[in-house]
Amino acid sequence: MNSTTPAQDRVALVTGGSGGIGSAVVRRLADEGFAVAVHYAGNPARAEKLVADIVSAGGSAIAVRGDVADETEMAAAFTEAEQAFGGLDVVVNTAGIMVLGPIATLDLDDLDRMHRTNIRGAFVVSQLAANRLRAGGALINFSTTVTRTQFPTYGAYVASKAAVEGMTLILAREMRGKDITVNAVAPGPTATPLFLDGKDEETVTNLAKAVPLERLGQPEDIAETVAFLAGPARWVNGQIIYTNGGLA
């Protein structure tokens, strides 16, 4: 399902766009007037439902599929978005997985699986964005506030996200002269299935209380930061934005 949009309008591709934070980002960008390509890996029904909601509200959206770590599949997803809307101005890379466990006992297969999506996937998407975004565009990757808080059991996940931060900061410098900003958003504890899975009520409550604002973040809180970086924030470049209610 799709709706056409004038070529001069801004176009965004959101990886993991049918997920918790991803779907909030998609809705916020659609509200801002973006045509949006909603990327998914394995749940077409959820992505198509989101597309249908946007189109029925008068927006422009399509669903595109691809394994973020597969450069051929993701190149095809980029091409599909470009063909539908005339080009790409913003890429938001929310796709990621999180497996928690102590470093001493973490299953190395889980480490490899997480690094394939979080590191290779971020690299593939960043590489494509660097070559295909139009002037005036923005790439927004995703890290985590736990790179600062250093919570136990997050070691492998933080290792993958620290790699994302490193490549983001370097790519921003490599894009000199192209008028493309490259930043990363590092959410704090946010009420999404990815965050809540496997945590008991006491753990969730304690994490919420640790934040000076004394609540978990909502996906819409994160989407607000993304919309800022995708739109008016042309002088914010090569930065990690910690959107975490003051946790760290």
Side-chain angles (χ1 to χ4, degrees):
M1 182 179 298
N2 64 76
S3 175
T4 59
T5 186
Q8 67 267 24
D9 287 354
R10 283 171 73 77
V11 179
L13 185 155
V14 182
T15 73
S18 62
I21 289 175
S23 63
V25 168
V26 166
R27 292 182 187 278
R28 177 60 183 268
L29 293 181
D31 287 345
E32 295 285 335
F34 281 78
V36 186
V38 182
H39 163 269
Y40 68 95
N43 192 332
R46 193 166 61 183
E48 290 289 357
K49 173 63 167 61
L50 181 55
V51 167
D53 289 347
I54 292 169
V55 172
S56 66
S60 301
I62 61 170
V64 297
R65 186 203 163 277
D67 172 359
V68 289
D70 185 314
E71 64 273 27
T72 302
E73 290 187 8
M74 289 311 298
F78 272 65
T79 296
E80 190 174 351
E82 291 168 336
Q83 290 176 344
F85 300 124
L88 274 174
D89 303 288
V90 172
V91 171
V92 186
N93 192 27
T94 77
I97 61 174
M98 179 169 65
V99 181
L100 302 182
I103 292 171
T105 58
L106 187 81
D107 188 316
L108 293 181
D109 288 339
D110 288 335
L111 176 72
D112 291 342
R113 182 164 58 90
M114 188 161 40
H115 282 199
R116 182 179 187 277
T117 297
N118 295 0
I119 297 178
R120 181 184 169 89
F123 197 98
V124 165
V125 172
S126 295
Q127 188 176 70
L128 286 164
N131 286 291
R132 298 175 73 159
L133 282 170
R134 295 188 284 208
L139 167 63
I140 303 158
N141 283 322
F142 264 69
S143 181
T144 173
T145 288
V146 190
T147 57
R148 285 185 172 186
T149 58
Q150 291 108 31
F151 292 145
T153 75
Y154 281 78
Y157 179 67
V158 164
S160 72
K161 290 302 187 177
V164 172
E165 291 190 5
M167 74 176 75
T168 297
L169 299 180
I170 290 172
L171 181 57
R173 278 73 187 174
E174 292 178 346
M175 297 302 287
R176 175 182 292 274
K178 295 188 177 181
D179 191 22
I180 293 171
T181 62
V182 185
N183 295 287
V185 176
T190 305
T192 66
L194 180 70
F195 170 77
L196 296 172
D197 184 43
K199 295 182 176 68
D200 58 31
E201 184 176 349
E202 181 180 5
T203 299
V204 172
T205 299
N206 289 340
L207 284 167
K209 287 182 177 178
V211 178
L213 295 178
E214 296 187 331
R215 68 172 176 86
L216 294 180
Q218 296 298 316
E220 293 75 18
D221 295 318
I222 313 306
E224 183 176 9
T225 300
V226 172
F228 174 64
L229 294 172
R234 298 306 303 165
W235 196 236
V236 180
N237 189 29
Q239 304 298 318
I240 313 299
I241 309 299
Y242 291 88
T243 306
N244 58 27
L247 178 62

